[in-house]
Amino acid sequence: MTITLAFLAALAVGYLIGRYRPAHRASDWAHWQKYDRAMRRHSARWWTRFVILSAENLGWLVAHPRQGWDAWKHRNDPRTTRSPAVQIRSVGPGPTLPVHRVSKAQEANE
């Protein structure tokens, strides 16, 4: 009986944590802090942001080691050249729009 209650309690706590998503909220907060120019390195908020973003990056590297290694190898590659812009040689006459005219008799009826 106690094992069943403990299992149900753990299931409920896991569900609530999953619904609240504290790691996602902390990650969103840390990403928004990157735009605060007034924050300096000696503040606790800066270090909190640094720890959260570092943990996020390390977690991604653990989950995706191959993509991380490939990104590391190609981090200093030169940018690819863009293709030239499309050139339009001539512009045709364009679509013809119908002319809607109202006669004097129709204006008088209104």
Side-chain angles (χ1 to χ4, degrees), residues 44-98:
R45 199 171 61 158
W46 188 92
W47 284 103
T48 304
R49 180 195 73 165
F50 178 77
V51 168
I52 290 171
L53 292 178
S54 297
E56 181 180 331
N57 290 332
L58 291 174
W60 186 88
L61 283 173
V62 167
H64 307 284
R66 178 79 177 205
Q67 291 93 332
W69 177 251
D70 288 341
W72 179 261
K73 285 192 307 187
H74 298 291
R75 70 192 185 283
N76 292 324
D77 288 352
R79 291 183 181 248
T80 57
T81 57
R82 296 175 59 179
S83 60
V86 177
Q87 294 181 353
I88 301 173
R89 296 176 192 212
S90 66
V91 177
T96 58
L97 299 175

